[in-house]
Amino acid sequence: MNDKTLRDLRRPSTAEPKPGGRPPKITFPCRYPLKVVGDAAEDFAATVCQVVSRHDSEFDGSRLEVVASRNGRFQSVRLTIRATGEEQLKALFVDLKATGRVHMVV
């Protein structure tokens, strides 16, 4: 392993600081993976796709993955969006929770 490929975590990041003095956590735009968890239902993935499509016009619903929980009570929908900023992500999370069907967004 080449030592120059690893960043020394004891040193501060060289990323440009935000106006508040902290470096940005994420550089936008970027691909942003999400896992949306809710009660298992046939239309849960479609509901998630409708909400996500309102926030990302380039979203491709054919590329999502639906995984059932071990006991079948819950489903997780795994997808990737094109994130353009923190405001977009916050609005997406609020709209997903507003459906009343989403328990958690990771």
Side-chain angles (χ1 to χ4, degrees):
M1 182 180 326
N2 182 353
D3 288 338
K4 291 185 180 183
T5 61
L6 299 175
R7 184 174 70 83
D8 186 348
L9 297 177
R10 295 172 292 184
R11 295 183 187 167
S13 172
T14 58
E16 289 293 319
K18 289 176 28 176
R22 298 183 324 230
K25 296 177 185 176
I26 301 172
T27 303
F28 295 104
C30 65
R31 294 178 50 77
Y32 193 85
L34 292 171
K35 185 191 303 187
V36 183
V37 180
D39 291 324
E42 284 189 29
D43 64 337
F44 181 65
T47 300
V48 171
C49 282
Q50 287 175 347
V51 173
V52 171
S53 294
R54 289 195 301 253
H55 295 274
D56 178 9
S57 60
E58 298 175 10
F59 175 66
D60 180 7
S62 67
R63 301 193 60 162
L64 61 84
E65 178 184 0
V66 179
V67 178
S69 66
R70 193 175 329 151
N71 64 6
R73 183 173 174 207
F74 300 101
Q75 284 181 330
S76 67
V77 177
R78 298 171 186 182
L79 53 96
T80 301
I81 66 166
R82 182 178 179 275
T84 58
E86 288 183 38
E87 298 81 22
Q88 176 205 29
L89 294 176
K90 287 177 184 177
L92 173 60
F93 295 160
V94 166
D95 285 355
L96 285 168
K97 292 293 279 184
T99 64
R101 302 182 66 187
V102 173
H103 295 291
M104 180 174 28
V105 180
V106 182

